[in-house]
Amino acid sequence: ATVMSADEAETIGNYMITTVQSGTASALSGASYTAAGKTGSAEYDTASGERGTHSWFVGYTNVDNPELVISVIIEGYDGNAGAKAVPIAKQVLDSYYYQ
Protein backbone atom coordinates (compact mmCIF):
# COMPACT_ATOMS: atom_id res chain seq x y z
CA ALA A 1 0.00 0.00 0.00
CA THR A 2 1.07 3.58 -0.53
CA VAL A 3 1.47 5.53 2.72
CA MET A 4 1.49 8.91 0.98
CA SER A 5 2.09 10.44 -2.41
CA ALA A 6 5.46 11.86 -3.48
CA ASP A 7 3.97 15.36 -3.29
CA GLU A 8 2.79 14.78 0.28
CA ALA A 9 6.22 13.44 1.28
CA GLU A 10 7.89 16.49 -0.27
CA THR A 11 5.57 18.84 1.63
CA ILE A 12 6.34 17.16 4.95
CA GLY A 13 10.06 17.24 4.14
CA ASN A 14 9.86 20.97 3.45
CA TYR A 15 8.12 21.53 6.79
CA MET A 16 10.91 19.58 8.50
CA ILE A 17 13.57 21.67 6.73
CA THR A 18 11.87 24.86 7.91
CA THR A 19 11.81 23.53 11.48
CA VAL A 20 15.63 23.32 11.36
CA GLN A 21 16.20 26.52 9.41
CA SER A 22 14.04 28.80 11.54
CA GLY A 23 11.97 26.82 13.99
CA THR A 24 12.26 24.77 17.15
CA ALA A 25 15.26 22.78 15.85
CA SER A 26 17.28 25.79 14.67
CA ALA A 27 20.25 24.68 16.81
CA LEU A 28 20.97 22.29 13.91
CA SER A 29 21.15 25.03 11.28
CA GLY A 30 24.46 26.40 10.02
CA ALA A 31 26.37 23.11 10.22
CA SER A 32 28.40 21.68 7.34
CA TYR A 33 25.62 19.09 6.93
CA THR A 34 22.00 19.95 6.25
CA ALA A 35 19.23 18.59 8.44
CA ALA A 36 15.48 18.35 8.59
CA GLY A 37 13.43 17.38 11.60
CA LYS A 38 10.53 17.69 13.97
CA THR A 39 10.44 18.40 17.69
CA GLY A 40 7.65 17.46 19.98
CA SER A 41 6.45 16.18 23.28
CA ALA A 42 4.40 13.27 24.53
CA GLU A 43 2.44 13.42 27.74
CA TYR A 44 2.05 10.45 30.02
CA ASP A 45 0.50 9.68 33.40
CA THR A 46 2.92 8.83 36.19
CA ALA A 47 2.35 6.10 38.77
CA SER A 48 1.33 8.79 41.25
CA GLY A 49 -1.33 10.07 38.84
CA GLU A 50 0.54 13.23 37.82
CA ARG A 51 1.14 14.24 34.22
CA GLY A 52 4.69 14.01 32.83
CA THR A 53 6.21 14.97 29.49
CA HIS A 54 8.76 13.33 27.21
CA SER A 55 10.75 15.62 24.88
CA TRP A 56 11.66 14.29 21.44
CA PHE A 57 13.32 15.10 18.14
CA VAL A 58 13.33 13.02 14.99
CA GLY A 59 15.10 14.00 11.79
CA TYR A 60 17.58 13.23 9.04
CA THR A 61 20.73 14.72 7.54
CA ASN A 62 21.87 15.70 4.06
CA VAL A 63 18.44 16.76 2.93
CA ASP A 64 19.07 16.41 -0.82
CA ASN A 65 20.50 12.91 -0.46
CA PRO A 66 19.53 11.63 3.01
CA GLU A 67 22.33 9.90 4.87
CA LEU A 68 21.43 9.49 8.56
CA VAL A 69 18.22 9.31 10.54
CA ILE A 70 18.18 10.24 14.22
CA SER A 71 15.64 10.02 16.99
CA VAL A 72 16.19 11.39 20.50
CA ILE A 73 13.73 10.94 23.34
CA ILE A 74 14.25 12.53 26.74
CA GLU A 75 11.97 10.79 29.20
CA GLY A 76 10.33 12.84 31.91
CA TYR A 77 11.49 16.25 30.74
CA ASP A 78 9.00 18.94 31.67
CA GLY A 79 10.60 21.90 29.86
CA ASN A 80 10.24 23.15 26.28
CA ALA A 81 9.52 20.18 24.02
CA GLY A 82 12.62 20.37 21.85
CA ALA A 83 14.84 22.25 24.28
CA LYS A 84 16.58 19.14 25.55
CA ALA A 85 16.33 16.71 22.62
CA VAL A 86 17.67 18.96 19.82
CA PRO A 87 21.02 19.78 21.47
CA ILE A 88 21.59 16.08 22.10
CA ALA A 89 20.82 15.30 18.46
CA LYS A 90 23.29 18.04 17.47
CA GLN A 91 26.00 16.53 19.67
CA VAL A 92 25.51 13.11 18.07
CA LEU A 93 25.43 14.47 14.51
CA ASP A 94 28.43 16.78 15.09
CA SER A 95 30.36 13.81 16.49
CA TYR A 96 29.61 11.86 13.34
CA TYR A 97 30.38 14.60 10.83
CA TYR A 98 33.27 16.35 12.61
CA GLN A 99 35.23 13.41 14.02
Side-chain angles (χ1 to χ4, degrees):
T2 300
V3 176
M4 67 181 72
S5 70
D7 287 341
E8 291 167 330
E10 182 179 1
T11 297
I12 291 171
N14 288 334
Y15 290 148
M16 293 172 76
I17 291 167
T18 300
T19 299
V20 169
Q21 289 176 342
S22 60
T24 54
S26 62
L28 290 168
S29 66
S32 65
Y33 54 89
T34 57
K38 174 71 177 97
T39 61
S41 61
E43 293 183 343
Y44 64 96
D45 292 327
T46 66
S48 64
E50 296 178 11
R51 180 79 33 138
T53 304
H54 300 316
S55 169
W56 58 266
F57 171 79
V58 62
Y60 59 97
T61 64
N62 292 327
V63 174
D64 293 331
N65 188 20
E67 181 176 12
L68 298 177
V69 172
I70 187 165
S71 176
V72 176
I73 299 173
I74 309 300
E75 294 181 330
Y77 184 73
D78 289 326
N80 181 317
K84 194 71 172 174
V86 173
I88 292 170
K90 180 172 176 44
Q91 287 178 338
V92 170
L93 295 173
D94 286 355
S95 293
Y96 178 82
Y97 286 106
Y98 301 134
Q99 59 180 331

